[in-house]
Amino acid sequence: MKFISCYFIVLLFSLSLTCSSASTLDDDTNNNENLVECLYQYSNNSTSTSKLVYTKSNSSYSSVLQFSIQNLRFETNTTSKPLVIVTPSEISQIQATIICSKRHGMQIRTRSGGHDYEGLSYVSEVPFLIIDLINLSQIHVDADNRTAWVQAGATIGQLYYAISQKSKTLGFPAAVCSTVGVGGQFSGGGYGFLMRKYGLAADNIIDAHIIDVNGRLLDRKAMGEDLFWAIRGGGGASFGVIISWKIKLVTVPSTVTVFRVARTLEQNATELVHKWHLVANKLDDNLTIRIILQRLNSSSSSNKQGSLTVQATFESMFLGTVDELIPLVQERFPELGLLKQDCSEMSWIQSVLYLGGFSSNESPQVLLNRTQSSVFYFKGKSDYVTVPIPESGLEGLWPLFYEDEAKYALMIFNPYGGRMDEIPESEIPFPHRAGNICKIQHIVYWMEEGDDVAERHMNWIRRVYSYMEPFVSKSPRAAYVNYRDLDIGVNNKNGYTSYKKASVWGLKYFKNNFNRLVHVKTKVDPLNFFRNEQSIPSLLPLGRK
């Protein structure tokens, strides 16, 4: 059953909401059973479906849920849990899940790799189920035509590995972290060390398959250019369930050069970080140098903070040889003092391992792992810088790194410029283009359990965010949707959210593109079935509950 009339959908949805509003534990149990029966009814093969559906009574439920949780903040006893987890292996099973979820008044959360910073792919405060795409991870690379089809449940690492097995001179501009899922990352933009040369992952998508609110499987032609525009940077979870992407691969040389140079405050890190702001977005398009700020113990007896200092690590990839790289850096950033012995030449896939933090003796096959070696509690935020941060601004930041909560904190500065300056703000929903020097990722990790510990660390990063306000973009203070941050605004938990309320967070992520996203949403999902705390809202009164 792939198609249902619009009026039948309205009837089913309104009835299911009426029934669920007075839910009890027994009602939830009955609803689970009814939902599961519905899934069997609408799936092509009920026997195979039964092996892919997990309720709380299933012995594998907890392990399936926890496998892709990448933030321990959302793995506590008080965290809301899905009533059902569906791990589809066929498109028909996703279609059935959408139909049955509407019928039984459940929200859907779609999980690809589980890296949503606020856990929105697997957590909800209202009754919900998870569609976990882990079994939909096939990749087909066409090296001759420089394209690939990749299913939404695949990880970035799996994609990189598949490309490397077909070509030594093709790559793709996506994430550094190999366990990130392509379904979520590409739909929010997606970037890495190839961004200044080739733009975002979303800039290099040429087709897609999505299942819409009516259970229809649509490709680019069938969905139309408005919806195809929206899912490339506007967050796919607002519009349906993305099944796969067709991507345009990019050329990389057979030899690239990487380096990682660290400088502490005692080694003039403040001056170097400031100088980086003056040149990072103006460097050759083939060169990306990012900065990672963190605190560490100091060996300097002159350090005013005793044993602590701040270290700036300049991490880079250059699409070329070391002999080509050194003159470029010496011309534009001689203060860094980069030497030939600081650099290593390697293949592009080896640079993926190096920049991803893998050891030099590991095989590219390690990219096939879906799980990280360690998972922590964390909170993240983001900013964009349009004017160089002065040295005085950096000096005021350093004391925050000496506080207890900053032990495992990072600030990561990713440079813009290059190809990012050339793509218009409205080309796709991701609007952060010309005029940006860099994006900042603020992130704080901790290892201890407990609400008090979590609150202390989240308050710390909020104070950092507050301190940075004079030095970052304004009107709006822009943010990156893939670094989800519910502090900047949320939708109503149930039902209708006004354009005005959603604009509080929507304009930060999407700027003027937010208006077009809302109109696309209103057209393709007028009743706002696909929703979460920061989903694109529908304008129609029918969306009100």
Side-chain angles (χ1 to χ4, degrees):
M1 183 176 180
K2 292 176 67 173
F3 303 93
I4 307 178
S5 75
C6 183
Y7 294 108
F8 190 44
I9 293 169
V10 174
L11 176 61
L12 287 177
F13 205 61
S14 61
L15 285 174
S16 65
L17 285 166
T18 301
C19 293
S20 64
S21 62
S23 63
T24 64
L25 184 60
D26 289 338
D27 291 334
D28 285 345
T29 301
N30 291 334
N31 205 25
N32 288 358
E33 294 173 353
N34 293 336
L35 175 70
V36 171
E37 288 301 318
C38 182
L39 292 174
Y40 296 162
Q41 178 184 354
Y42 285 110
S43 296
N44 292 336
N45 187 332
S46 61
T47 301
S48 64
T49 299
S50 66
K51 300 176 182 178
L52 305 170
V53 177
Y54 302 86
T55 63
K56 292 182 178 180
S57 62
N58 189 298
S59 59
S60 299
Y61 170 90
S62 293
S63 61
V64 172
L65 175 62
Q66 294 166 4
F67 183 80
S68 295
I69 292 179
Q70 310 290 353
N71 188 343
L72 294 182
R73 281 173 57 206
F74 308 109
E75 196 179 347
T76 68
N77 292 332
T78 58
T79 303
S80 60
K81 305 295 192 297
L83 300 176
V84 178
I85 304 171
V86 183
T87 58
S89 60
E90 301 174 5
I91 289 173
S92 64
Q93 293 158 349
I94 299 177
Q95 293 168 321
T97 303
I98 293 173
I99 292 169
C100 295
S101 296
K102 290 192 296 182
R103 175 171 292 183
H104 293 280
M106 284 196 196
Q107 283 192 17
I108 287 176
R109 297 297 164 104
T110 305
R111 184 165 72 175
S112 176
H115 281 267
D116 187 290
Y117 273 29
E118 297 284 11
L120 297 191
S121 62
Y122 53 89
V123 174
S124 175
E125 295 186 20
V126 300
F128 75 109
L129 63 78
I130 292 175
I131 296 178
D132 192 321
L133 299 175
I134 190 169
N135 292 325
L136 292 173
S137 58
Q138 294 183 2
I139 301 168
H140 175 71
V141 176
D142 183 347
D144 291 338
N145 291 306
R146 297 181 181 177
T147 62
W149 273 104
V150 51
Q151 288 188 311
T155 65
I156 300 296
Q158 290 170 333
L159 173 61
Y160 288 163
Y161 179 80
I163 295 170
S164 73
Q165 298 305 294
K166 294 287 187 175
S167 171
K168 305 305 179 186
T169 56
L170 291 176
F172 192 69
V176 174
C177 178
S178 62
T179 58
V180 171
V182 304
Q185 212 229 6
F186 293 5
S187 68
Y191 75 94
F193 278 85
L194 291 175
M195 179 180 71
R196 299 190 68 250
K197 180 70 172 181
Y198 293 113
L200 307 171
D203 293 322
N204 293 277
I205 294 171
I206 54 179
D207 203 346
H209 291 156
I210 186 173
I211 299 177
D212 73 359
V213 71
N214 296 321
R216 298 177 300 176
L217 176 63
L218 308 172
D219 62 7
R220 177 176 182 173
K221 182 178 181 180
M223 76 177 78
E225 289 302 301
D226 280 345
L227 181 53
F228 183 63
W229 173 87
I231 62 176
R232 292 175 297 146
S238 293
F239 303 98
V241 178
I242 293 170
I243 304 301
S244 56
W245 306 103
K246 186 178 184 181
I247 58 175
K248 177 178 61 178
L249 304 180
V250 301
T251 57
V252 293
S254 56
T255 299
V256 305
T257 303
V258 298
F259 67 80
R260 190 178 285 128
V261 173
R263 299 286 187 264
T264 65
L265 297 185
E266 296 74 33
Q267 298 168 317
N268 298 319
T270 303
E271 295 87 340
L272 290 173
V273 173
H274 173 66
K275 179 59 187 290
W276 177 91
H277 277 81
L278 299 175
V279 302
N281 63 321
K282 302 180 182 69
L283 296 172
D284 187 286
D285 295 0
N286 293 302
L287 174 59
T288 294
I289 306 175
R290 75 173 184 177
I291 300 176
I292 303 173
L293 298 179
Q294 62 189 128
R295 93 163 187 214
L296 76 165
N297 292 328
S298 172
S299 58
S300 172
S301 59
S302 63
N303 189 315
K304 296 178 181 179
Q305 293 297 326
S307 62
L308 298 179
T309 188
V310 175
Q311 176 178 277
T313 301
F314 297 83
E315 193 172 58
S316 177
M317 184 187 70
F318 173 66
L319 297 172
T321 65
V322 65
D323 289 334
E324 295 169 309
L325 168 64
I326 294 295
L328 290 175
V329 177
Q330 289 179 341
E331 178 186 359
R332 301 304 300 272
F333 198 9
E335 297 85 351
L336 185 60
L338 183 69
L339 301 174
K340 190 170 184 178
Q341 53 263 39
D342 296 323
C343 306
S344 298
E345 292 183 338
M346 57 187 64
S347 66
W348 173 74
I349 194 64
Q350 288 173 319
S351 77
V352 167
L353 296 174
Y354 174 89
L355 296 166
F358 295 101
S359 63
S360 58
N361 60 355
E362 290 189 88
S363 160
Q365 285 186 316
V366 72
L367 296 172
L368 300 178
N369 294 340
R370 294 188 67 96
T371 57
Q372 301 182 83
S373 57
S374 300
V375 179
F376 305 102
Y377 302 87
F378 74 86
K379 169 67 179 177
K381 289 178 170 292
S382 61
D383 267 314
Y384 283 86
V385 177
T386 58
V387 177
I389 299 176
E391 290 186 25
S392 60
L394 295 169
E395 289 167 350
L397 175 65
W398 304 146
L400 287 163
F401 275 88
Y402 302 136
E403 297 183 13
D404 292 343
E405 291 76 20
K407 184 176 182 180
Y408 302 112
L410 301 173
M411 287 180 67
I412 305 174
F413 295 74
N414 289 95
Y416 273 50
R419 177 65 179 142
M420 293 296 284
D421 280 355
E422 300 169 355
I423 301 173
E425 284 192 1
S426 60
E427 184 72 14
I428 63 173
F430 180 98
H432 314 293
R433 304 292 187 170
N436 289 293
I437 294 173
C438 65
K439 175 184 56 58
I440 303 175
Q441 179 181 186
H442 313 274
I443 194 161
V444 60
Y445 297 93
W446 63 97
M447 300 179 185
E448 303 87 357
E449 298 180 9
D451 293 341
D452 291 345
V453 176
E455 194 62 26
R456 283 195 293 105
H457 286 83
M458 290 195 287
N459 283 339
W460 179 87
I461 200 170
R462 287 164 183 155
R463 286 190 289 113
V464 171
Y465 188 74
S466 178
Y467 173 81
M468 291 298 296
E469 185 173 6
F471 310 112
V472 297
S473 59
K474 299 170 178 63
S475 301
R477 183 176 182 176
Y480 177 39
V481 69
N482 275 357
Y483 295 154
R484 181 90 61 188
D485 181 10
L486 297 186
D487 288 349
I488 67 175
V490 294
N491 295 338
N492 295 324
K493 292 180 182 178
N494 290 289
Y496 179 75
T497 296
S498 69
Y499 178 91
K500 181 178 180 181
K501 181 169 185 176
S503 295
V504 172
W505 58 264
L507 293 176
K508 295 178 187 295
Y509 290 144
F510 306 115
K511 299 171 75 170
N512 292 332
N513 293 332
F514 182 64
N515 183 61
R516 184 178 175 188
L517 284 169
V518 171
H519 282 84
V520 174
K521 170 72 170 184
T522 304
K523 179 181 178 181
V524 303
D525 183 17
L527 295 183
N528 197 27
F529 174 69
F530 290 108
R531 65 185 187 274
N532 59 47
E533 287 82 348
Q534 284 186 346
S535 59
I536 305 299
S538 169
L539 289 173
L540 292 188
L542 280 173
R544 301 189 187 204
K545 306 296 183 292

